[in-house]
Amino acid sequence: MNITYRHYSLDYFLESMTQLGINHIELWAGEPHLYVYRNVLGNIRYIRRQLKARGMKLVCFTPEQCVYPYNIAASDAGWRQKSVDYFTENLYAAAELETEMMLLTSGIGDFATPLEEALDYASDSIYRIARVAEREGLTVVLEPLTKFESNLITDLNGIRRVMDQIQSPALKGMIDTVAMQLAGEGPGDYFDALPELGHVHLIDGDGVSDAHLGLDDGVLDWRSCLTALQNSQYDGAITLEIMGFRYYENPQEVLMKSIAALRESGFLS
């Protein structure tokens, strides 16, 4: 995932992936790599050419949604509408880049707003975004955030609740291993509760914060997670969402180390 390379150019990231032998990527859509409100058509065409030239497949499109001023759970109706519009534009960008999946989170409820009301705002926004995804033939995967990032969907129960409310064939749940760890859950819980698992973010964690660490830099038993996914015959994508300033200066180093750990553990050929 190119978010680890956020202080380098997209070309640098793609060349790094080529060197590491990776041909399936997740695209974080944020500056300086891609932002839907800045020269989006030219950037999309360039990225599409670069992916095809390298034989790479885009498995998931992930708009920036934790830093930029968009919040689908905002109590302000105008802000909430602008946020839905933002994700709708990103759905169209994902379609142009020939991927089938866009990642979405619940946003953050205003702390002065009752939690149930904020959840209703988020659910309504997700409903409207999912309806656009249905028309475009795309899947929206709903990622739980950690309790350090949101006060809304932070566990499997939150995902299940929204999916039950919306009843959209375009909406699927996904695993983020750090959020899963902090919620005291495991992959088996997801397979038991969800009709289908749409995507997986694989990262190590420290068990006490929302740190998204390189593999074996924390205490999360990611090997058992992957074994459980294999045993459940999960056949979707698994991407490394490694973040943190300690990694941004030399992102290829942590990716190389994590990929080596995957290969040594027998999860990559």
Side-chain angles (χ1 to χ4, degrees):
M1 190 175 179
N2 59 309
I3 197 167
T4 321
Y5 291 72
R6 63 194 306 163
H7 297 297
Y8 286 87
S9 70
L10 183 64
D11 286 343
Y12 185 97
F13 164 72
L14 293 175
E15 180 58 29
S16 177
M17 294 302 97
T18 298
Q19 293 174 9
L20 294 173
I22 299 299
N23 54 20
H24 290 71
I25 65 167
E26 178 173 346
L27 182 67
W28 165 72
E31 296 285 20
H33 295 171
L34 175 65
Y35 178 53
V36 292
Y37 294 132
R38 182 176 69 85
N39 192 27
V40 62
L41 185 58
N43 286 347
I44 284 176
R45 287 174 174 170
Y46 176 79
I47 293 171
R48 194 166 55 200
R49 288 196 304 270
Q50 289 299 310
L51 293 177
K52 287 184 177 179
R54 296 171 182 272
M56 288 184 181
K57 179 176 175 57
L58 181 59
V59 297
C60 185
F61 185 89
T62 302
E64 172 54 53
Q65 50 203 284
C66 295
V67 177
Y68 291 179
Y70 303 105
N71 183 7
I72 63 170
S75 58
D76 182 286
W79 184 14
R80 198 163 64 249
Q81 180 61 54
K82 285 188 177 294
S83 300
V84 171
D85 292 343
Y86 167 74
F87 286 106
T88 300
E89 289 297 322
N90 275 286
L91 274 172
Y92 297 145
E96 288 296 319
L97 284 170
E98 301 175 356
T99 187
E100 300 174 353
M101 186 182 298
M102 187 184 83
L103 184 149
L104 185 65
T105 63
S106 63
I108 303 172
D110 297 353
F111 293 150
T113 300
L115 190 60
E116 287 298 314
E117 184 178 339
L119 280 166
D120 286 342
Y121 290 145
S123 295
D124 178 68
S125 296
I126 295 168
Y127 170 84
R128 290 189 282 157
I129 294 165
R131 289 293 176 255
V132 177
E134 287 177 26
R135 294 197 299 270
E136 295 297 318
L138 297 176
T139 295
V140 173
V141 286
L142 184 58
E143 179 186 37
L145 295 172
T146 71
K147 62 183 180 180
F148 302 103
E149 300 168 299
S150 176
N151 58 347
L152 297 180
I153 298 178
T154 60
D155 57 18
L156 177 57
N157 286 336
I159 294 175
R160 183 73 259 183
R161 170 179 171 159
V162 171
M163 291 184 66
D164 289 344
Q165 285 180 329
I166 292 174
Q167 294 290 313
S168 170
L171 185 65
K172 297 180 182 179
M174 66 166 285
I175 286 175
D176 177 288
T177 53
V178 167
M180 183 177 68
Q181 176 194 38
L182 292 175
E185 300 165 341
D189 299 316
Y190 279 75
F191 284 104
D192 290 341
L194 300 178
E196 185 178 356
L197 187 65
H199 189 44
V200 175
H201 276 171
L202 178 67
I203 46 268
D204 209 334
D206 60 16
V208 295
S209 76
D210 63 345
H212 282 44
L213 306 176
L215 301 186
D216 289 336
D217 283 351
V219 298
L220 193 153
D221 188 0
W222 58 267
R223 291 174 177 83
S224 292
C225 290
L226 289 182
T227 298
L229 290 171
Q230 286 182 327
N231 292 340
S232 298
Q233 297 183 321
Y234 172 70
D235 62 357
I238 299 173
T239 54
L240 297 169
E241 189 194 28
I242 299 171
M243 296 187 290
F245 197 78
R246 61 184 284 193
Y247 301 121
Y248 292 153
E249 186 175 359
N250 192 354
Q252 183 161 328
E253 181 179 59
V254 65
L255 263 293
M256 186 182 302
K257 177 175 174 285
S258 296
I259 291 167
L262 285 166
R263 289 192 169 119
E264 288 166 6
S265 300
F267 295 110
L268 277 178
S269 60

